[in-house]
Amino acid sequence: QVQLVESGGGLVQAGGSLRLSCAASERTGPTYAMGWFRQAPGKEREFVAAITRNGETAYGDSVKGRFTISRDNVKNSVRLQMDSLKPEDTALYYCVAGGVYSTLRAGKAPYWGQGTQVTVSS
């Protein structure tokens, strides 16, 4: 059973930065995509970013230009660099992995982490 372990969440002031990391216990398939979703209280789950095995990236509209996703295929890990953070970025951030990009983007990736809290104060 693949496990995803996130780290790096916390409390930051608006305009600040945080970096989230996620390590998979093993490879999640031959063409596995990795990425991040988030969910704020009372809101629907939202796509944040994704990256394919070949390094192609995609971002949700609300984070484009501020967040950067990267991955290390050797270490089966993914990172999310979050800059210029806003209070509306406050949410529980989930690492996701497995399957192809389209599956992950649709929120149907087979593997999900437990989530790490990001809180941005105004």
Side-chain angles (χ1 to χ4, degrees):
Q1 180 70 20
V2 175
Q3 293 185 331
L4 302 177
V5 179
E6 303 111 329
S7 61
L11 174 64
V12 66
Q13 289 188 332
S17 298
L18 281 175
R19 185 172 66 182
L20 304 183
S21 297
C22 172
S25 57
E26 60 187 272
R27 284 185 62 180
T28 57
T31 60
Y32 65 110
M34 301 186 80
W36 297 87
F37 276 77
R38 68 186 183 187
Q39 187 164 24
K43 295 187 177 181
E44 293 187 353
R45 187 174 59 192
E46 178 185 15
F47 169 74
V48 176
I51 185 166
T52 67
R53 177 175 173 80
N54 295 327
E56 297 173 343
T57 60
Y59 297 92
D61 289 340
S62 62
V63 306
K64 283 181 181 177
R66 299 188 298 120
F67 290 11
T68 303
I69 189 170
S70 60
R71 68 186 287 167
D72 185 328
N73 289 337
V74 175
K75 297 181 178 179
N76 298 327
S77 64
V78 63
R79 290 182 175 179
L80 185 68
Q81 177 67 39
M82 305 184 294
D83 299 317
S84 302
L85 283 162
K86 305 175 181 180
E88 49 264 43
D89 293 318
T90 295
L92 190 61
Y93 283 70
Y94 296 94
C95 175
V96 298
V100 297
Y101 166 73
S102 57
T103 302
L104 185 147
R105 179 67 179 83
K108 298 180 179 179
Y111 306 110
W112 291 69
Q114 293 298 309
T116 184
Q117 180 67 38
V118 171
T119 302
V120 184
S121 62
S122 57

